[in-house]
């Protein structure tokens, strides 16, 4: 029996994940038993947090085109992953598109609040007028969940925009992911990482079967159990 140590910065909550995306601060240990490689199934898509990825799904992915005009974002012309509604005019946008407008467009101030104009009707608004999906009226939520999309990566999965966002970001076998081994920068489709790369990754941290201390696979031949054990004991004392 031998063990494998991975580096993981994963969180199912997208907002929490965003704050930690470039700061690998969460570590965990998985066990490698015999020839069975255990890999975290929810490794994030490497494109997560990129604006071109976060904007709405292309309308060509829609299976029920009658909903295209209901939620289409006027800025990116896609079906929003995280829709918001402007309460003053009722227009729908992607959350990331509105955030980008507030950071990239010139705005004016009204009562000390930054204001920009709606991209459709030019109604001025500030961010407190942007209603998140969680606060949508229940009937509107039901309509949104009736939207059906095909997976952008080409796998057979079909779901509503929120299900598709979760699938494409954390579940699709065809999504691009980075190897979770500490120090490894390899990126490839998840199924290829799982089926091929993990078994050969030189940066994989494994436990030496003799001293049970972690060591990178590429350093295993030069690994000296006595020296490592002495260093470990000295470190503890």
């Amino acid at each position: 029996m031998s063990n494998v140590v991975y580096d993981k910065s994963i969180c199912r909550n997208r907002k929490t994940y965003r704050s930690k995306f470039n700061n690998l601060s969460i570590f965990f240990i998985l066990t490698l038993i015999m020839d069975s490689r255990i890999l975290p199934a929810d490794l994030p898509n490497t494109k997560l947090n990129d604006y071109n990825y976060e904007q709405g799904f292309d309308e060509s992915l829609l299976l029920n085109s009658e909903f295209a005009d209901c939620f289409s974002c006027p800025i990116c012309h896609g079906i929003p992953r995280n829709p918001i509604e402007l309460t003053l005019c009722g227009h729908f946008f992607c959350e990331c598109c509105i955030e980008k407008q507030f950071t990239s467009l010139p705005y004016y101030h009204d009562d000390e609040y930054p204001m920009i104009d709606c991209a459709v009707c030019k109604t001025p608004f500030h961010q407190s007028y942007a209603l998140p999906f969680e606060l949508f009226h229940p009937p509107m939520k039901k309509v949104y969940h009736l939207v059906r999309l095909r997976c952008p990566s080409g796998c057979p999965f079909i779901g509503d925009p929120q299900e598709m966002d979760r699938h494409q970001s954390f579940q699709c076998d065809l999504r691009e992911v980075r190897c979770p081994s500490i120090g490894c920068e390899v990126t490839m489709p998840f199924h290829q990482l799982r089926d091929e790369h993990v078994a050969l990754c030189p940066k994989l941290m494994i436990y030496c079967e003799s001293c049970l201390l972690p060591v990178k696979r590429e350093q295993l031949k030069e690994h000296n159990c006595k020296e490592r054990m002495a260093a470990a004991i000295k470190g503890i004392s």
Side-chain angles (χ1 to χ4, degrees):
M1 179 182 296
S2 58
N3 296 323
V4 55
V5 181
Y6 280 122
D7 171 11
K8 185 184 182 189
S9 178
I10 300 297
C11 183
R12 292 184 178 276
N13 183 298
R14 183 185 292 272
K15 292 187 179 298
T16 303
Y17 177 79
R18 283 174 176 166
S19 67
K20 298 178 180 178
F21 186 65
N22 293 317
N23 180 21
L24 299 180
S25 58
I26 301 176
F27 297 91
F28 75 104
I29 297 176
L30 290 176
T31 303
L32 176 64
I33 302 177
M34 302 301 288
D35 291 330
S36 175
R37 303 300 196 270
I38 301 177
L39 186 73
D42 58 351
L43 286 176
N45 194 314
T46 56
K47 298 177 182 177
L48 199 66
N49 301 325
D50 179 85
Y51 173 72
N52 292 327
Y53 175 87
E54 295 287 347
Q55 64 185 3
F57 293 103
D58 193 286
E59 292 185 1
S60 63
L61 300 172
L62 269 173
L63 296 179
N64 41 3
S65 57
E66 62 270 21
F67 291 104
D69 295 332
C70 296
F71 293 101
S72 181
C73 173
I75 298 176
C76 69
H77 307 291
I79 305 300
R81 296 171 182 269
N82 298 294
I84 65 167
E85 179 184 3
L86 301 186
T87 57
L88 295 181
C89 59
H91 291 119
F92 294 96
F93 294 86
C94 296
E95 180 185 42
C96 68
C97 290
I98 289 297
E99 289 178 352
K100 185 176 182 180
Q101 278 201 319
F102 267 100
T103 57
S104 62
L105 294 181
Y107 57 80
Y108 54 89
H109 286 73
D110 177 41
D111 295 331
E112 299 183 356
Y113 289 101
M115 305 277 287
I116 61 175
D117 293 334
C118 172
V120 179
C121 63
K122 306 306 179 184
T123 300
F125 70 95
H126 54 76
Q127 285 180 311
S128 66
Y129 295 149
L131 191 71
F133 180 76
E134 292 76 14
L135 300 179
F136 279 20
H137 292 299
M140 187 58 67
K141 286 184 177 182
K142 290 183 179 179
V143 174
Y144 182 74
H145 286 305
L146 289 175
V147 176
R148 285 292 175 266
L149 298 164
R150 292 180 286 105
C151 177
S153 300
C155 84
F157 184 83
I158 294 175
D160 66 42
Q162 287 190 328
E163 292 171 338
M164 188 59 68
D165 178 52
R166 184 167 54 252
H167 168 77
Q168 189 186 16
S169 299
F170 299 106
Q171 299 170 351
C172 182
D173 276 357
L174 301 179
R175 71 189 186 278
E176 287 287 321
V177 297
R178 181 174 68 85
C179 176
S181 298
I182 301 171
C184 184
E185 299 296 328
V186 170
T187 61
M188 59 179 61
F190 176 78
H191 71 89
Q192 187 177 350
L193 184 81
R194 177 194 61 205
D195 299 338
E196 301 173 14
H197 176 73
V198 170
L200 303 173
C201 179
K203 302 295 184 181
L204 191 73
M205 292 292 289
I206 61 176
Y207 286 126
C208 172
E209 294 184 355
S210 299
C211 65
L212 301 181
L213 289 177
V215 58
K216 288 184 179 181
R217 173 179 282 144
E218 64 183 0
Q219 300 172 349
L220 187 59
K221 289 184 179 179
E222 294 77 27
H223 172 69
N224 187 305
C225 292
K226 291 183 178 180
E227 291 180 0
R228 287 296 306 276
M229 286 291 290
I233 294 173
K234 184 177 180 180
I236 295 176
S237 58

